Amino acid sequence: GAEQREKQYRAHRGFGDRRGGVISARTYFYADEAKCDQHMETFLRCIDASGGSSEDGFSAIKLTALGRPQFLLQFSEVLVKWRRFFHQMAAEQGQAGRAALEMKLEVEKLQEALANLGIATKAESQHWFTGENLGVSGTVDLLDWNSLIDSRTKLSKLLLVPNMQTGQLEPLLSRFTEEEDLQMKRMLQRMDVLAKRATEKGVRLMVDAEQSYFQPAISRLTLEMQRRFNRDRAIIFNTYQCYLKEAYDNVTVDVELSRREGWHFGTKLVRGAYMEQERERAARIGYEDPINPTYEKTNEMYHRCLDYILEEIKHSRKANVMVASHNEDSVKFTLRRMMDLGIHPSEKKVYFGQLLGMCDQITFPLGE
């Protein structure tokens, strides 16, 4: 299963043209760094236009327009393997099958396992779990574990994680060339420029979801922006595709992170735009289809994720959601739940985005 899953995050020549099977979403191709700069300038003009026409506007961007997609693919592989290692360690401690946030590794056992695998001695790993509240309770959960890949870590550094089957250390990420390292830094710089402009103009910046094999990196980079720019209000919005089997786990983990760190959670919920391509790629390359098996299951996932966020709005008032759907049942569901939970339209915590072919987007807060 692990081997199959890893195939999802490898480049494959047959799927180099990402337009195949996608008719409802814009696709960007990496030409060079100058072209990425042009895309950034276009996005900046869109932010300016949105800020000039509305006091509460939105603008959407795609990260594949701002840098080399290969970086997103490689970084996604790092994040997925790192998370898989956590689940393997949890299984070793008898916690297999639990929900993501319910798994808690005992620090003592974890340190012993790391020592036995040759990763680090107990003394060497001790500093991993010092500072702030990490490991103070004697356990480490998935959010603690994710924080060990610090955003300040140089991504070109060789990261090693043990293969639990072979007992051997394996590189998570091949060394970047100097140029690739610069490409990664430029992508982050462009994101920073856009987020700062959006903040200045009072515009919410929605980072679009893309193919599942890019998404772990896109979501991680978006979370880093949310940490920085969503302190006082939700400026940066992440996007969750509810046709994915892991959508609910992703939403709940990220909401919990926002609670712990005290920033405003912003999200756009969609069903998804790459189903045909995703399924064809999974079948041809040989990994599990990441898409829910039926339309009904996707609807169930959409409403489950939406309800979780609406509950968070009720309890903290620090979450915001755009219901990006033209599905009548989803709109009615949202209105009913808002009434049940006492969420008033004037709070502007819930938005509706009626998608017209995914290219033109009309957004408005409830009540306007």
Side-chain angles (χ1 to χ4, degrees), residues 180-196:
E180 287 172 332
D181 199 53
L182 288 173
Q183 290 171 358
M184 178 268 290
K185 290 177 180 177
R186 292 183 193 124
M187 174 186 279
L188 299 178
Q189 289 167 353
R190 293 179 187 112
M191 292 172 64
D192 189 65
V193 168
L194 293 171
K196 287 178 177 176

mmCIF file of all heavy atoms in Angstrom, residues 180-196:
data_model
loop_
_atom_site.group_PDB
_atom_site.id
_atom_site.type_symbol
_atom_site.label_atom_id
_atom_site.label_comp_id
_atom_site.label_asym_id
_atom_site.label_seq_id
_atom_site.Cartn_x
_atom_site.Cartn_y
_atom_site.Cartn_z
ATOM 1 N N GLU A 180 17.451 24.897 -8.835
ATOM 2 C CA GLU A 180 16.169 24.431 -8.304
ATOM 3 C C GLU A 180 15.893 25.049 -6.936
ATOM 4 O O GLU A 180 14.748 25.386 -6.623
ATOM 5 C CB GLU A 180 16.177 22.899 -8.212
ATOM 6 C CG GLU A 180 16.070 22.213 -9.567
ATOM 7 C CD GLU A 180 16.268 20.717 -9.474
ATOM 8 O OE1 GLU A 180 16.981 20.256 -8.556
ATOM 9 O OE2 GLU A 180 15.719 19.994 -10.328
ATOM 10 N N ASP A 181 16.920 25.199 -6.149
ATOM 11 C CA ASP A 181 16.761 25.828 -4.850
ATOM 12 C C ASP A 181 16.317 27.287 -5.010
ATOM 13 O O ASP A 181 15.448 27.778 -4.277
ATOM 14 C CB ASP A 181 18.072 25.759 -4.070
ATOM 15 C CG ASP A 181 17.872 25.958 -2.579
ATOM 16 O OD1 ASP A 181 17.031 25.239 -2.000
ATOM 17 O OD2 ASP A 181 18.536 26.828 -2.007
ATOM 18 N N LEU A 182 16.873 27.967 -6.004
ATOM 19 C CA LEU A 182 16.475 29.345 -6.279
ATOM 20 C C LEU A 182 15.034 29.405 -6.779
ATOM 21 O O LEU A 182 14.280 30.318 -6.430
ATOM 22 C CB LEU A 182 17.418 29.967 -7.311
ATOM 23 C CG LEU A 182 18.831 30.299 -6.823
ATOM 24 C CD1 LEU A 182 19.705 30.745 -7.999
ATOM 25 C CD2 LEU A 182 18.792 31.384 -5.752
ATOM 26 N N GLN A 183 14.633 28.437 -7.602
ATOM 27 C CA GLN A 183 13.261 28.390 -8.100
ATOM 28 C C GLN A 183 12.276 28.249 -6.947
ATOM 29 O O GLN A 183 11.216 28.889 -6.932
ATOM 30 C CB GLN A 183 13.100 27.232 -9.085
ATOM 31 C CG GLN A 183 13.824 27.430 -10.413
ATOM 32 C CD GLN A 183 13.823 26.177 -11.256
ATOM 33 O OE1 GLN A 183 13.315 25.134 -10.843
ATOM 34 N NE2 GLN A 183 14.386 26.267 -12.457
ATOM 35 N N MET A 184 12.612 27.412 -5.975
ATOM 36 C CA MET A 184 11.759 27.231 -4.813
ATOM 37 C C MET A 184 11.628 28.538 -4.037
ATOM 38 O O MET A 184 10.531 28.947 -3.657
ATOM 39 C CB MET A 184 12.330 26.125 -3.927
ATOM 40 C CG MET A 184 11.557 25.869 -2.640
ATOM 41 S SD MET A 184 12.177 26.840 -1.239
ATOM 42 C CE MET A 184 13.765 26.030 -0.979
ATOM 43 N N LYS A 185 12.765 29.223 -3.822
ATOM 44 C CA LYS A 185 12.740 30.477 -3.069
ATOM 45 C C LYS A 185 11.927 31.539 -3.795
ATOM 46 O O LYS A 185 11.198 32.308 -3.170
ATOM 47 C CB LYS A 185 14.166 30.964 -2.845
ATOM 48 C CG LYS A 185 14.957 30.105 -1.864
ATOM 49 C CD LYS A 185 16.386 30.597 -1.729
ATOM 50 C CE LYS A 185 17.177 29.728 -0.757
ATOM 51 N NZ LYS A 185 18.595 30.146 -0.665
ATOM 52 N N ARG A 186 12.040 31.580 -5.123
ATOM 53 C CA ARG A 186 11.277 32.580 -5.892
ATOM 54 C C ARG A 186 9.786 32.330 -5.793
ATOM 55 O O ARG A 186 8.986 33.271 -5.729
ATOM 56 C CB ARG A 186 11.729 32.555 -7.352
ATOM 57 C CG ARG A 186 13.154 33.059 -7.579
ATOM 58 C CD ARG A 186 13.505 33.066 -9.057
ATOM 59 N NE ARG A 186 14.931 33.248 -9.263
ATOM 60 C CZ ARG A 186 15.716 32.417 -9.946
ATOM 61 N NH1 ARG A 186 15.205 31.321 -10.487
ATOM 62 N NH2 ARG A 186 16.996 32.657 -10.091
ATOM 63 N N MET A 187 9.361 31.062 -5.787
ATOM 64 C CA MET A 187 7.942 30.759 -5.626
ATOM 65 C C MET A 187 7.439 31.301 -4.290
ATOM 66 O O MET A 187 6.380 31.944 -4.218
ATOM 67 C CB MET A 187 7.688 29.248 -5.702
ATOM 68 C CG MET A 187 6.234 28.874 -5.404
ATOM 69 S SD MET A 187 5.936 27.092 -5.310
ATOM 70 C CE MET A 187 5.820 26.695 -7.049
ATOM 71 N N LEU A 188 8.196 31.071 -3.227
ATOM 72 C CA LEU A 188 7.800 31.553 -1.911
ATOM 73 C C LEU A 188 7.766 33.079 -1.868
ATOM 74 O O LEU A 188 6.882 33.676 -1.251
ATOM 75 C CB LEU A 188 8.756 31.008 -0.854
ATOM 76 C CG LEU A 188 8.826 29.485 -0.719
ATOM 77 C CD1 LEU A 188 9.860 29.084 0.327
ATOM 78 C CD2 LEU A 188 7.476 28.912 -0.371
ATOM 79 N N GLN A 189 8.716 33.717 -2.549
ATOM 80 C CA GLN A 189 8.743 35.185 -2.594
ATOM 81 C C GLN A 189 7.515 35.727 -3.319
ATOM 82 O O GLN A 189 6.919 36.727 -2.891
ATOM 83 C CB GLN A 189 10.020 35.659 -3.279
ATOM 84 C CG GLN A 189 11.279 35.453 -2.447
ATOM 85 C CD GLN A 189 12.560 35.632 -3.239
ATOM 86 O OE1 GLN A 189 12.529 35.784 -4.469
ATOM 87 N NE2 GLN A 189 13.695 35.625 -2.551
ATOM 88 N N ARG A 190 7.119 35.079 -4.410
ATOM 89 C CA ARG A 190 5.930 35.534 -5.153
ATOM 90 C C ARG A 190 4.674 35.383 -4.306
ATOM 91 O O ARG A 190 3.794 36.254 -4.320
ATOM 92 C CB ARG A 190 5.805 34.740 -6.460
ATOM 93 C CG ARG A 190 6.923 35.026 -7.461
ATOM 94 C CD ARG A 190 6.776 34.204 -8.733
ATOM 95 N NE ARG A 190 7.944 34.374 -9.581
ATOM 96 C CZ ARG A 190 8.841 33.418 -9.846
ATOM 97 N NH1 ARG A 190 8.668 32.193 -9.356
ATOM 98 N NH2 ARG A 190 9.879 33.665 -10.607
ATOM 99 N N MET A 191 4.567 34.279 -3.585
ATOM 100 C CA MET A 191 3.428 34.097 -2.688
ATOM 101 C C MET A 191 3.387 35.210 -1.649
ATOM 102 O O MET A 191 2.317 35.738 -1.333
ATOM 103 C CB MET A 191 3.520 32.735 -2.000
ATOM 104 C CG MET A 191 3.338 31.538 -2.910
ATOM 105 S SD MET A 191 3.682 29.982 -2.043
ATOM 106 C CE MET A 191 2.389 29.994 -0.808
ATOM 107 N N ASP A 192 4.541 35.557 -1.125
ATOM 108 C CA ASP A 192 4.627 36.599 -0.105
ATOM 109 C C ASP A 192 4.179 37.950 -0.663
ATOM 110 O O ASP A 192 3.436 38.690 -0.005
ATOM 111 C CB ASP A 192 6.062 36.690 0.408
ATOM 112 C CG ASP A 192 6.195 37.586 1.626
ATOM 113 O OD1 ASP A 192 5.628 37.240 2.677
ATOM 114 O OD2 ASP A 192 6.849 38.635 1.524
ATOM 115 N N VAL A 193 4.609 38.276 -1.876
ATOM 116 C CA VAL A 193 4.218 39.536 -2.508
ATOM 117 C C VAL A 193 2.702 39.608 -2.667
ATOM 118 O O VAL A 193 2.068 40.629 -2.364
ATOM 119 C CB VAL A 193 4.910 39.685 -3.884
ATOM 120 C CG1 VAL A 193 4.294 40.836 -4.682
ATOM 121 C CG2 VAL A 193 6.407 39.916 -3.704
ATOM 122 N N LEU A 194 2.092 38.509 -3.120
ATOM 123 C CA LEU A 194 0.650 38.492 -3.333
ATOM 124 C C LEU A 194 -0.111 38.603 -2.011
ATOM 125 O O LEU A 194 -1.111 39.321 -1.917
ATOM 126 C CB LEU A 194 0.253 37.202 -4.064
ATOM 127 C CG LEU A 194 0.762 37.079 -5.498
ATOM 128 C CD1 LEU A 194 0.501 35.674 -6.038
ATOM 129 C CD2 LEU A 194 0.103 38.113 -6.408
ATOM 130 N N ALA A 195 0.346 37.901 -0.990
ATOM 131 C CA ALA A 195 -0.335 37.952 0.306
ATOM 132 C C ALA A 195 -0.263 39.350 0.912
ATOM 133 O O ALA A 195 -1.249 39.842 1.485
ATOM 134 C CB ALA A 195 0.284 36.927 1.255
ATOM 135 N N LYS A 196 0.874 40.004 0.781
ATOM 136 C CA LYS A 196 1.008 41.363 1.311
ATOM 137 C C LYS A 196 0.102 42.332 0.569
ATOM 138 O O LYS A 196 -0.527 43.211 1.184
ATOM 139 C CB LYS A 196 2.465 41.809 1.228
ATOM 140 C CG LYS A 196 3.374 41.137 2.253
ATOM 141 C CD LYS A 196 4.820 41.580 2.106
ATOM 142 C CE LYS A 196 5.692 40.946 3.191
ATOM 143 N NZ LYS A 196 7.127 41.285 3.012
#
